[in-house]
Amino acid sequence: MPKTGERVWKAGELAARTGLTVRTLHHYDAIGLLSPSGRTGSAHGPGHRLYTAADLARLQQILSLKQLGFGLDEVREYLSRDDYDPRRVVRLHLARVTGQADELRKLADRLAALADALDKAEAVSADDFLNTVREITMVEQYYTQEQLEQLAARKEQVGQARVDEVQAEWPRLMAEVQSAMDARTDPADPKAQALARRWFGLVAEFTGGDPGIFKSLKKMYETEDKVHDMDVKAMRPMMEWVGQAAAAAGIELPG
Amino acid sequence: MPKTGERVWKAGELAARTGLTVRTLHHYDAIGLLSPSGRTGSAHGPGHRLYTAADLARLQQILSLKQLGFGLDEVREYLSRDDYDPRRVVRLHLARVTGQADELRKLADRLAALADALDKAEAVSADDFLNTVREITMVEQYYTQEQLEQLAARKEQVGQARVDEVQAEWPRLMAEVQSAMDARTDPADPKAQALARRWFGLVAEFTGGDPGIFKSLKKMYETEDKVHDMDVKAMRPMMEWVGQAAAAAGIELPG
DNA sequence: CTTGAACCTCACGCCGCGTCAGGGTGTACC
DNA sequence: GGTACACCCTGACGCGGCGTGAGGTTCAAG
């Protein structure tokens, strides 16, 4: 109900002014976000929408809030009530947005790594592609975001030197276990128990004793065939044998 | 149709292994992304889904590609055809993702600026909030992304010193125009034409002669009441007068 | 044979509109 | 007054990737 003589705008004019579409204005009307103050009187159907200067001002506020990434229902809330704390709202929203931005950055990093890997190889078949993709995404499939951060922090703590040492230790240990198994050594044998202690010592050094990480790692090694060029499939019999030896030795596993 | 004796998994088992939900597997089946190789024979209804090791492998590939942010239909394409160039696909996708990430970063920057502004003020009413939001989002409403980049580049080019000079020049020029108007100077008068030349000289220095930027600027000054604490509303009569003077002087406007 | 957990198939909801389809209105010109 | 013709209106479906019921069936264990 605009005052008579007041300047009014029709949907198309508003759309042109704001860069929106008429459909969008209809939508805002439908969801009760912005309803025109008036309509042209018409014979049969509903008349044309007539927006006043006040409507226009409200629309500008809507657009501003929308540009900050708020949802339309949030926008409606903020415009209808004034008993909320803008600071808190903005900070919460900022946190959300930075979170999303971080996610996307990580995704971009993964993709860049993938692009690099593909560039290094000469011919790239569809299989190579899928394998490389797998390589890069595997780790994230098993660890949660939080766990990955813990792992990074832990790596920082122990230093690269020790990480390299552990990496070098694994093949040696696996060879020893394999020969013990080939010799049909009983898992309850003290030698087997010693191997189990070394084995789970290395594991614990990686997991930092975190049960969640232990479980994730376990699942990954049970599910995957290759991890980081290591033949995990071949490790599975060893893992069972070592598990038995650990049980005999009374080693407590984090899981 | 899994071979008899082959290990199969039911939907729930697969879901547990992969961290998906059963509903998701149903969805993948429905859209033809991953259909189980078999089903249990049943009396009346359709049987339970039975997934083979091959299905599992395909699912892993699906998850990998999904983790890289590809859409499900894209994933389907990449798994069904092998006559595409992975390098190109990845690079295109990377570009998309970095684009989105940049958008979100800019949004986060705006929000951070808003949070700062709100922190500086002591009491923040709903109106203050909306005004501050407006302040921060206004510019982006009128200029396209490309135009903002042009403006930034141009600012870089001319240097901060000159920008400050122009900023200082505007109030002086406006005062002169105002007094000329108060004196009822004819826009066709040579003095008026000289003022118009200075006026559009300053404008051209800002726009760099770009017609698109000129139009955006014009629209902003016609629509807004305040821009950057400048009383744009009061400028409008001046703009008309100067426009007439410019016409008399035969100044060509970029728009 | 019975229970109970797990499975099945519809079908709607979400978010912010785009995009038809089918029909009324407002204004300018004759 | 009529007649264009641009503009406006109201439904209704679609999109992506599932979540979330409702209501019924099937499998494996006891």
Side-chain angles (χ1 to χ4, degrees), chain A residues 54-81:
Chain A
D55 296 336
L56 219 158
R58 184 179 167 93
L59 180 53
Q60 298 287 5
Q61 296 178 333
I62 291 171
L63 291 181
S64 293
L65 289 170
K66 201 163 77 84
Q67 226 166 19
L68 291 178
F70 289 102
L72 294 187
D73 43 356
E74 294 175 287
V75 171
R76 194 171 36 203
E77 282 289 296
Y78 301 157
L79 291 181
S80 67
R81 296 179 358 196

Tab-separated table of all heavy atoms in Angstrom, chain A residues 54-81:
chain	number	residue	atom	x	y	z
A	54	ALA	N	10.983	2.184	0.218
A	54	ALA	CA	11.293	1.393	1.418
A	54	ALA	C	11.638	-0.036	1.030
A	54	ALA	O	12.589	-0.627	1.554
A	54	ALA	CB	10.102	1.409	2.373
A	55	ASP	N	10.876	-0.580	0.092
A	55	ASP	CA	11.162	-1.929	-0.383
A	55	ASP	C	12.556	-1.982	-0.991
A	55	ASP	O	13.317	-2.918	-0.790
A	55	ASP	CB	10.144	-2.332	-1.451
A	55	ASP	CG	8.736	-2.417	-0.883
A	55	ASP	OD1	8.596	-2.616	0.337
A	55	ASP	OD2	7.777	-2.261	-1.670
A	56	LEU	N	12.865	-0.942	-1.741
A	56	LEU	CA	14.162	-0.873	-2.399
A	56	LEU	C	15.278	-0.887	-1.367
A	56	LEU	O	16.289	-1.589	-1.522
A	56	LEU	CB	14.214	0.419	-3.209
A	56	LEU	CG	14.883	0.329	-4.562
A	56	LEU	CD1	14.401	1.466	-5.442
A	56	LEU	CD2	16.373	0.373	-4.392
A	57	ALA	N	15.095	-0.116	-0.298
A	57	ALA	CA	16.116	-0.067	0.749
A	57	ALA	C	16.296	-1.448	1.360
A	57	ALA	O	17.420	-1.920	1.582
A	57	ALA	CB	15.705	0.935	1.821
A	58	ARG	N	15.167	-2.090	1.617
A	58	ARG	CA	15.244	-3.433	2.195
A	58	ARG	C	15.970	-4.375	1.246
A	58	ARG	O	16.801	-5.185	1.666
A	58	ARG	CB	13.831	-3.955	2.487
A	58	ARG	CG	13.827	-5.309	3.180
A	58	ARG	CD	12.411	-5.777	3.471
A	58	ARG	NE	12.370	-7.176	3.846
A	58	ARG	CZ	12.411	-7.611	5.105
A	58	ARG	NH1	12.505	-6.747	6.081
A	58	ARG	NH2	12.381	-8.898	5.370
A	59	LEU	N	15.678	-4.251	-0.026
A	59	LEU	CA	16.332	-5.112	-1.004
A	59	LEU	C	17.846	-4.905	-0.984
A	59	LEU	O	18.629	-5.857	-1.070
A	59	LEU	CB	15.776	-4.838	-2.401
A	59	LEU	CG	16.374	-5.684	-3.523
A	59	LEU	CD1	16.293	-7.163	-3.196
A	59	LEU	CD2	15.685	-5.400	-4.845
A	60	GLN	N	18.257	-3.663	-0.870
A	60	GLN	CA	19.694	-3.386	-0.810
A	60	GLN	C	20.336	-4.085	0.381
A	60	GLN	O	21.411	-4.670	0.273
A	60	GLN	CB	19.931	-1.874	-0.696
A	60	GLN	CG	19.425	-1.054	-1.875
A	60	GLN	CD	20.276	-1.205	-3.122
A	60	GLN	OE1	21.209	-1.996	-3.160
A	60	GLN	NE2	19.937	-0.460	-4.171
A	61	GLN	N	19.644	-4.030	1.517
A	61	GLN	CA	20.184	-4.714	2.696
A	61	GLN	C	20.256	-6.216	2.469
A	61	GLN	O	21.237	-6.874	2.829
A	61	GLN	CB	19.292	-4.421	3.908
A	61	GLN	CG	19.297	-2.956	4.285
A	61	GLN	CD	18.377	-2.673	5.459
A	61	GLN	OE1	17.403	-3.389	5.684
A	61	GLN	NE2	18.695	-1.630	6.211
A	62	ILE	N	19.223	-6.726	1.838
A	62	ILE	CA	19.219	-8.156	1.532
A	62	ILE	C	20.425	-8.522	0.685
A	62	ILE	O	21.150	-9.479	0.958
A	62	ILE	CB	17.920	-8.541	0.794
A	62	ILE	CG1	16.726	-8.433	1.735
A	62	ILE	CG2	18.026	-9.933	0.208
A	62	ILE	CD1	15.384	-8.579	1.049
A	63	LEU	N	20.657	-7.716	-0.346
A	63	LEU	CA	21.763	-8.018	-1.241
A	63	LEU	C	23.098	-7.945	-0.521
A	63	LEU	O	23.999	-8.755	-0.760
A	63	LEU	CB	21.749	-7.050	-2.426
A	63	LEU	CG	20.573	-7.255	-3.375
A	63	LEU	CD1	20.641	-6.291	-4.536
A	63	LEU	CD2	20.551	-8.683	-3.878
A	64	SER	N	23.222	-6.966	0.363
A	64	SER	CA	24.468	-6.844	1.120
A	64	SER	C	24.727	-8.094	1.941
A	64	SER	O	25.809	-8.676	1.905
A	64	SER	CB	24.399	-5.626	2.041
A	64	SER	OG	24.369	-4.438	1.285
A	65	LEU	N	23.722	-8.501	2.673
A	65	LEU	CA	23.891	-9.677	3.529
A	65	LEU	C	24.132	-10.930	2.699
A	65	LEU	O	24.917	-11.799	3.062
A	65	LEU	CB	22.656	-9.853	4.417
A	65	LEU	CG	22.538	-8.800	5.510
A	65	LEU	CD1	21.185	-8.870	6.194
A	65	LEU	CD2	23.646	-8.974	6.526
A	66	LYS	N	23.460	-10.974	1.569
A	66	LYS	CA	23.643	-12.139	0.696
A	66	LYS	C	25.090	-12.192	0.195
A	66	LYS	O	25.690	-13.257	0.088
A	66	LYS	CB	22.679	-12.052	-0.488
A	66	LYS	CG	22.419	-13.386	-1.165
A	66	LYS	CD	21.193	-13.342	-2.025
A	66	LYS	CE	21.430	-12.636	-3.331
A	66	LYS	NZ	22.011	-13.552	-4.342
A	67	GLN	N	25.626	-11.018	-0.103
A	67	GLN	CA	26.985	-10.971	-0.619
A	67	GLN	C	27.994	-11.430	0.430
A	67	GLN	O	29.109	-11.812	0.090
A	67	GLN	CB	27.323	-9.552	-1.058
A	67	GLN	CG	27.986	-9.522	-2.404
A	67	GLN	CD	28.012	-8.138	-2.977
A	67	GLN	OE1	27.861	-7.154	-2.266
A	67	GLN	NE2	28.220	-8.047	-4.255
A	68	LEU	N	27.592	-11.350	1.683
A	68	LEU	CA	28.470	-11.844	2.735
A	68	LEU	C	28.295	-13.343	2.936
A	68	LEU	O	28.893	-13.932	3.821
A	68	LEU	CB	28.195	-11.111	4.041
A	68	LEU	CG	28.614	-9.643	4.032
A	68	LEU	CD1	28.268	-8.991	5.355
A	68	LEU	CD2	30.114	-9.541	3.786
A	69	GLY	N	27.459	-13.942	2.091
A	69	GLY	CA	27.344	-15.391	2.122
A	69	GLY	C	26.292	-15.913	3.084
A	69	GLY	O	26.237	-17.121	3.334
A	70	PHE	N	25.455	-15.052	3.607
A	70	PHE	CA	24.390	-15.537	4.483
A	70	PHE	C	23.288	-16.181	3.647
A	70	PHE	O	23.036	-15.756	2.520
A	70	PHE	CB	23.801	-14.386	5.297
A	70	PHE	CG	24.735	-13.859	6.357
A	70	PHE	CD1	25.432	-12.688	6.159
A	70	PHE	CD2	24.911	-14.554	7.531
A	70	PHE	CE1	26.303	-12.207	7.122
A	70	PHE	CE2	25.769	-14.078	8.512
A	70	PHE	CZ	26.477	-12.901	8.309
A	71	GLY	N	22.634	-17.161	4.234
A	71	GLY	CA	21.512	-17.792	3.558
A	71	GLY	C	20.299	-16.894	3.620
A	71	GLY	O	20.212	-16.002	4.470
A	72	LEU	N	19.333	-17.146	2.748
A	72	LEU	CA	18.183	-16.252	2.687
A	72	LEU	C	17.366	-16.281	3.965
A	72	LEU	O	16.810	-15.266	4.384
A	72	LEU	CB	17.301	-16.630	1.492
A	72	LEU	CG	17.951	-16.419	0.131
A	72	LEU	CD1	16.936	-16.656	-0.975
A	72	LEU	CD2	18.536	-15.035	0.015
A	73	ASP	N	17.301	-17.430	4.604
A	73	ASP	CA	16.529	-17.482	5.848
A	73	ASP	C	17.253	-16.737	6.966
A	73	ASP	O	16.617	-16.099	7.814
A	73	ASP	CB	16.220	-18.927	6.248
A	73	ASP	CG	17.426	-19.830	6.066
A	73	ASP	OD1	18.450	-19.319	5.567
A	73	ASP	OD2	17.357	-21.007	6.420
A	74	GLU	N	18.576	-16.810	6.953
A	74	GLU	CA	19.341	-16.031	7.928
A	74	GLU	C	19.112	-14.544	7.694
A	74	GLU	O	18.895	-13.783	8.631
A	74	GLU	CB	20.828	-16.347	7.807
A	74	GLU	CG	21.178	-17.768	8.185
A	74	GLU	CD	22.641	-18.069	7.933
A	74	GLU	OE1	23.041	-18.209	6.752
A	74	GLU	OE2	23.390	-18.159	8.889
A	75	VAL	N	19.169	-14.155	6.431
A	75	VAL	CA	18.945	-12.759	6.100
A	75	VAL	C	17.594	-12.297	6.643
A	75	VAL	O	17.485	-11.241	7.267
A	75	VAL	CB	18.979	-12.547	4.576
A	75	VAL	CG1	18.525	-11.151	4.214
A	75	VAL	CG2	20.373	-12.811	4.035
A	76	ARG	N	16.591	-13.123	6.438
A	76	ARG	CA	15.261	-12.774	6.910
A	76	ARG	C	15.273	-12.574	8.415
A	76	ARG	O	14.700	-11.615	8.938
A	76	ARG	CB	14.285	-13.877	6.518
A	76	ARG	CG	12.827	-13.475	6.652
A	76	ARG	CD	11.935	-14.530	6.055
A	76	ARG	NE	12.501	-15.859	6.308
A	76	ARG	CZ	12.231	-16.929	5.570
A	76	ARG	NH1	11.419	-16.826	4.544
A	76	ARG	NH2	12.772	-18.090	5.849
A	77	GLU	N	15.932	-13.469	9.109
A	77	GLU	CA	16.043	-13.346	10.564
A	77	GLU	C	16.665	-12.006	10.957
A	77	GLU	O	16.126	-11.280	11.786
A	77	GLU	CB	16.936	-14.465	11.114
A	77	GLU	CG	16.246	-15.808	11.228
A	77	GLU	CD	15.216	-15.815	12.344
A	77	GLU	OE1	15.612	-15.658	13.502
A	77	GLU	OE2	14.012	-15.950	12.028
A	78	TYR	N	17.789	-11.703	10.372
A	78	TYR	CA	18.546	-10.527	10.779
A	78	TYR	C	17.795	-9.244	10.478
A	78	TYR	O	17.995	-8.231	11.136
A	78	TYR	CB	19.914	-10.503	10.099
A	78	TYR	CG	20.737	-11.718	10.420
A	78	TYR	CD1	21.766	-12.138	9.601
A	78	TYR	CD2	20.460	-12.469	11.558
A	78	TYR	CE1	22.502	-13.262	9.898
A	78	TYR	CE2	21.187	-13.598	11.862
A	78	TYR	CZ	22.204	-13.989	11.026
A	78	TYR	OH	22.920	-15.107	11.303
A	79	LEU	N	16.944	-9.293	9.454
A	79	LEU	CA	16.197	-8.082	9.117
A	79	LEU	C	14.922	-7.959	9.939
A	79	LEU	O	14.386	-6.868	10.095
A	79	LEU	CB	15.852	-8.077	7.624
A	79	LEU	CG	17.050	-7.893	6.696
A	79	LEU	CD1	16.599	-7.882	5.248
A	79	LEU	CD2	17.798	-6.618	7.026
A	80	SER	N	14.451	-9.065	10.473
A	80	SER	CA	13.179	-8.996	11.197
A	80	SER	C	13.393	-8.776	12.691
A	80	SER	O	12.579	-8.145	13.350
A	80	SER	CB	12.376	-10.269	10.976
A	80	SER	OG	13.023	-11.366	11.594
A	81	ARG	N	14.511	-9.265	13.203
A	81	ARG	CA	14.728	-9.118	14.637
A	81	ARG	C	15.946	-8.237	14.881
A	81	ARG	O	16.865	-8.190	14.073
A	81	ARG	CB	14.972	-10.483	15.275
A	81	ARG	CG	13.758	-11.386	15.162
A	81	ARG	CD	14.033	-12.737	15.780
A	81	ARG	NE	15.387	-12.847	16.278
A	81	ARG	CZ	15.950	-14.013	16.584
A	81	ARG	NH1	15.269	-15.126	16.399
A	81	ARG	NH2	17.165	-14.060	17.054
